[in-house]
Amino acid sequence: MSSEWQNGFLDRLQQHTKWDSWTLYKMNYEITKMQLIPDFTELQAPKYLPQLQPLAHQVEAAETVINRMNGKAILADEVGLGKTIEAGLILKEYLLRGLVKRALILAPASLINQWIEELTMKFHIPATAYKKNVQIERHDVLIMSMDTAKKSPHRERIYAQDYDIIIIDEAHRLKNHKTQVYDFVQGLKKKFCLLLTATPIQNDILEIFYLISLLKPGHLGNYEAFQATFSTNEHADFLKDLVNQVMVRNRRDDTGIEWTSRRVQIVPVQFTEAEREVYDMLSTLEITEPFLRMTLQKEMCSSKEATALTLTKMLDAGVQVEALLNKVMALDVNAKAEKAVEIIEQAKDKVILFTEYRASQLYLQWYLHTKGITSVLFNGKFNKSKRDYMKQLFRDRAQVLIATEAGGEGINLQFCHHVINYDLPWNPMKLEQRIGRVHRLGQEHDVHIYNLAIVNTIEERILERLHTKIDVFEQVIGDLDAILTNLKGAGNHAFTANSSVFTSILSGE
């Protein structure tokens, strides 16, 4: 044992020197005082983040997860309300309290750099992006893509680590329990776990069962019990209460922030006679796969280019569709594209146009060019650098961004406030994700949404299905901002009500 303290004590005693420095004592006192947590329910993280000014709903969400949900929760705020900030606050708080030392964040590959920047710049949390040569045991906060994590040998390397908290962004990608990524996440040890998604239900009620089963197995019972109890709307309120025990959801109306309005409308489109003839031929085509017929119908509602691509593949497979393919390629008018141009010219501003098909994307860029309208493309084939470049071109030079579904996630475009849903998806939450690219914090203008739908086609069925799925979402999760029309309160007959609107618009009433 060192005797240094004893020698110092005797020296002070014999020489009558000062026992200690009052300045050093006060400094030590202040440091100790700062480290104390007088109220365990109060967040300490904001005190250490002077450059971050979290909003009230973000702080409240973090407090709720830590104090009431024991660090296992779905963060389900509407798109654009700052779920990443809430997750960052929770992670920082647990790091400060010593309850978390190591964290694993799983996100789509396109969002990894965004997570690195957020954690480093806003929360002063050094985070590392996973690469093959990264020694993961040396990094306390690791960020990697879900697609990489689920595969060997990465899967086994992750399983060999002890992470205190798992954070999963865009967690609605785990909706299918039969996928490799769901199986991977289920096998992770989860002391604390955050699932981030604005759309915890996308198609049916079972998706929320499987998400919550990742967080708290048994919270909603087993599969059979859940099916027996909640397959009808009879116990919807009970299910909503159970879900709210593990989910934090803030809506724009709940934040106290003055939001710009959403002005949403369905824009009916009439096929030309030639287009209608081809559509009817596709609808009566003798094929054994109903899904293939639906695909052709949807593609015909988008562009002849998308339709021709599928027909060509069928022809190569030996299906006799050469005459039909020739008829498709002979079409010289696209009524929906004409309507899109009409909207773009009336907007006289920047517009995002969403299509489901890359063939339609290329056609639309060519067609807009013939009308003197500048545009850039955005799709899932672009790497991050090209995505960033396209975003910059759109902001600085082009009037229109033509995006496939890849543009519905991970890109913030508040400088734009016009969105054309050129092709309607079957999933209403994809519409919400698309709109959320522009209707989010920082948007200074009312947002205009145009949902194009061709009359008397499969797109009317899609509208009906979208309304049904929205009803399911609202019964279990809560109200949803307008994504199809601004007509709320149509109840279970939303499509019937909407169809009359559809008809009145067509008749000019």
Side-chain angles (χ1 to χ4, degrees):
M1 182 182 292
S2 173
S3 60
E4 185 178 348
W5 71 271
Q6 186 177 4
N7 295 333
F9 175 77
L10 292 174
D11 182 65
R12 287 183 176 83
L13 190 64
Q14 292 169 359
Q15 301 298 326
H16 301 288
T17 57
K18 290 183 178 180
W19 288 93
D20 207 340
S21 166
W22 176 243
T23 302
L24 290 176
Y25 172 81
K26 286 195 296 182
M27 288 174 62
N28 184 61
Y29 174 81
E30 291 299 325
I31 291 171
T32 304
K33 184 179 177 182
M34 286 175 62
Q35 291 176 332
L36 292 175
I37 302 178
D39 183 355
F40 199 74
T41 62
E42 181 184 352
L43 290 188
Q44 305 303 304
K47 301 175 185 176
Y48 295 88
L49 304 170
Q51 293 180 323
L52 177 69
Q53 299 296 324
L55 300 172
H57 73 272
Q58 295 166 342
V59 173
E60 186 177 343
E63 289 175 341
T64 299
V65 171
I66 291 172
N67 299 327
R68 281 184 31 219
M69 298 178 178
N70 299 317
K72 289 188 175 182
I74 299 173
L75 296 178
D77 287 2
E78 288 186 325
V79 179
L81 293 188
K83 291 181 288 295
T84 308
I85 297 296
E86 294 168 2
L89 281 171
I90 294 165
L91 175 58
K92 185 72 173 182
E93 189 71 22
Y94 278 141
L95 288 168
L96 287 172
R97 295 187 183 196
L99 297 174
V100 164
K101 185 177 186 298
R102 306 193 69 207
L104 173 66
I105 300 170
L106 301 174
S110 60
L111 301 183
I112 288 179
N113 286 341
Q114 184 175 316
W115 269 96
I116 295 284
E117 292 170 8
E118 291 268 324
L119 292 181
T120 304
M121 304 301 293
K122 294 182 179 178
F123 295 96
H124 309 300
I125 298 174
T128 303
Y130 177 80
K131 297 177 182 176
K132 289 182 180 179
N133 59 346
V134 169
Q135 295 178 293
I136 59 177
E137 61 277 359
R138 296 188 177 182
H139 299 278
D140 289 334
V141 181
L142 188 70
I143 305 176
M144 66 190 307
S145 79
M146 288 186 272
D147 289 335
T148 298
K150 69 184 181 183
K151 301 172 184 174
S152 295
H154 320 292
R155 176 189 183 109
E156 289 74 20
R157 293 183 69 190
I158 293 296
Y159 277 167
Q161 308 301 310
D162 287 320
Y163 289 104
D164 301 303
I165 186 169
I166 309 294
I167 300 174
I168 302 174
D169 198 6
E170 304 294 350
H172 49 267
R173 297 188 177 201
L174 301 172
K175 62 185 179 181
N176 186 348
H177 69 293
K178 296 179 181 179
T179 58
Q180 195 176 4
V181 68
Y182 186 95
D183 182 62
F184 165 71
V185 172
Q186 193 171 38
L188 288 170
K189 291 170 279 189
K190 299 181 280 291
K191 175 182 172 184
F192 302 119
C193 184
L194 303 176
L195 304 180
L196 280 60
T197 173
T199 56
I201 291 179
Q202 295 206 333
N203 287 297
D204 65 63
I205 203 171
L206 280 174
E207 292 167 1
I208 195 68
F209 170 79
Y210 288 118
L211 276 185
I212 291 177
S213 294
L214 286 175
L215 281 178
K216 297 181 71 174
H219 182 72
L220 298 179
N222 59 27
Y223 174 83
E224 290 76 16
F226 182 84
Q227 275 280 70
T229 307
F230 301 114
S231 58
T232 66
N233 294 336
E234 186 179 354
H235 302 291
D237 289 341
F238 178 44
L239 176 58
K240 193 171 184 178
D241 289 341
L242 289 174
V243 170
N244 286 336
Q245 291 174 21
V246 293
M247 184 185 76
V248 176
R249 176 172 172 80
N250 288 301
R251 299 188 65 243
R252 293 175 186 84
D253 293 344
D254 302 331
T255 60
I257 300 169
E258 188 173 340
W259 289 87
T260 59
S261 299
R262 274 191 192 185
R263 304 187 182 279
V264 190
Q265 59 179 299
I266 292 174
V267 180
V269 179
Q270 290 279 13
F271 265 149
T272 63
E273 288 186 13
E275 287 176 309
R276 174 63 63 186
E277 182 182 357
V278 171
Y279 181 87
D280 291 342
M281 291 174 67
L282 290 169
S283 300
T284 56
L285 187 63
E286 292 186 9
I287 47 180
T288 56
E289 302 174 47
F291 180 76
L292 179 56
R293 179 180 288 105
M294 287 172 54
T295 298
L296 286 166
Q297 288 174 320
K298 281 195 88 234
E299 288 171 341
M300 185 58 207
C301 290
S302 183
S303 71
K304 72 177 185 183
E305 286 73 14
T307 313
L309 208 57
T310 300
L311 288 174
T312 301
K313 291 177 182 177
M314 293 170 63
L315 190 62
D316 292 342
V319 183
Q320 298 302 311
V321 291
E322 186 173 2
L324 181 54
L325 177 58
N326 291 334
K327 202 166 187 66
V328 168
M329 293 310 298
L331 293 171
D332 58 359
V333 175
N334 185 320
K336 187 188 273 188
E338 289 183 346
K339 179 61 71 173
V341 166
E342 181 184 321
I343 294 169
I344 292 166
E345 290 177 340
Q346 289 176 353
K348 297 179 181 177
D349 206 340
K350 295 191 180 295
V351 178
I352 306 174
L353 189 154
F354 282 101
T355 176
E356 294 208 325
Y357 306 103
R358 291 182 64 203
S360 296
Q361 187 184 39
L362 294 172
Y363 160 73
L364 286 166
Q365 185 173 46
W366 169 83
Y367 184 67
L368 293 182
H369 178 72
T370 66
K371 301 296 182 180
I373 298 171
T374 55
S375 66
V376 292
L377 304 183
F378 192 97
N379 61 53
K381 296 294 183 180
F382 296 170
N383 60 28
K384 182 185 183 298
S385 297
K386 190 166 183 178
R387 287 178 177 221
D388 290 344
Y389 180 56
M390 291 298 161
K391 178 179 174 179
Q392 181 181 342
L393 283 178
F394 177 44
R395 183 179 62 240
D396 297 339
R397 298 187 182 183
Q399 184 183 358
V400 180
L401 179 77
I402 309 172
T404 58
E405 212 60 64
E409 291 181 352
I411 182 171
N412 303 332
L413 301 165
Q414 294 96 320
F415 58 84
C416 174
H417 51 278
H418 292 270
V419 176
I420 298 176
N421 288 309
Y422 182 85
D423 297 320
L424 293 171
W426 289 99
N427 183 347
M429 297 304 110
K430 287 186 177 180
L431 287 176
E432 174 63 17
Q433 289 283 357
R434 292 175 182 181
I435 298 170
R437 299 309 98 211
V438 299
H439 198 213
R440 56 194 303 116
L441 289 169
Q443 178 58 259
E444 298 177 352
H445 302 275
D446 288 350
V447 175
H448 299 266
I449 315 298
Y450 311 90
N451 297 311
L452 273 55
I454 298 178
V455 180
N456 295 323
T457 67
I458 193 172
E459 292 192 325
E460 285 197 358
R461 287 174 55 198
I462 293 173
L463 282 172
E464 183 176 8
R465 185 69 61 86
L466 288 171
H467 276 105
T468 301
K469 291 179 179 180
I470 289 171
D471 284 346
V472 171
F473 183 96
E474 294 191 330
Q475 286 167 9
V476 178
I477 304 301
D479 288 345
L480 189 67
D481 212 339
I483 59 176
L484 289 176
T485 67
N486 275 328
L487 298 175
K488 305 292 282 183
N492 293 328
H493 304 286
F495 179 66
T496 305
N498 190 64
S499 295
S500 63
V501 174
F502 213 75
T503 305
S504 68
I505 293 173
L506 286 170
S507 62
E509 293 179 14

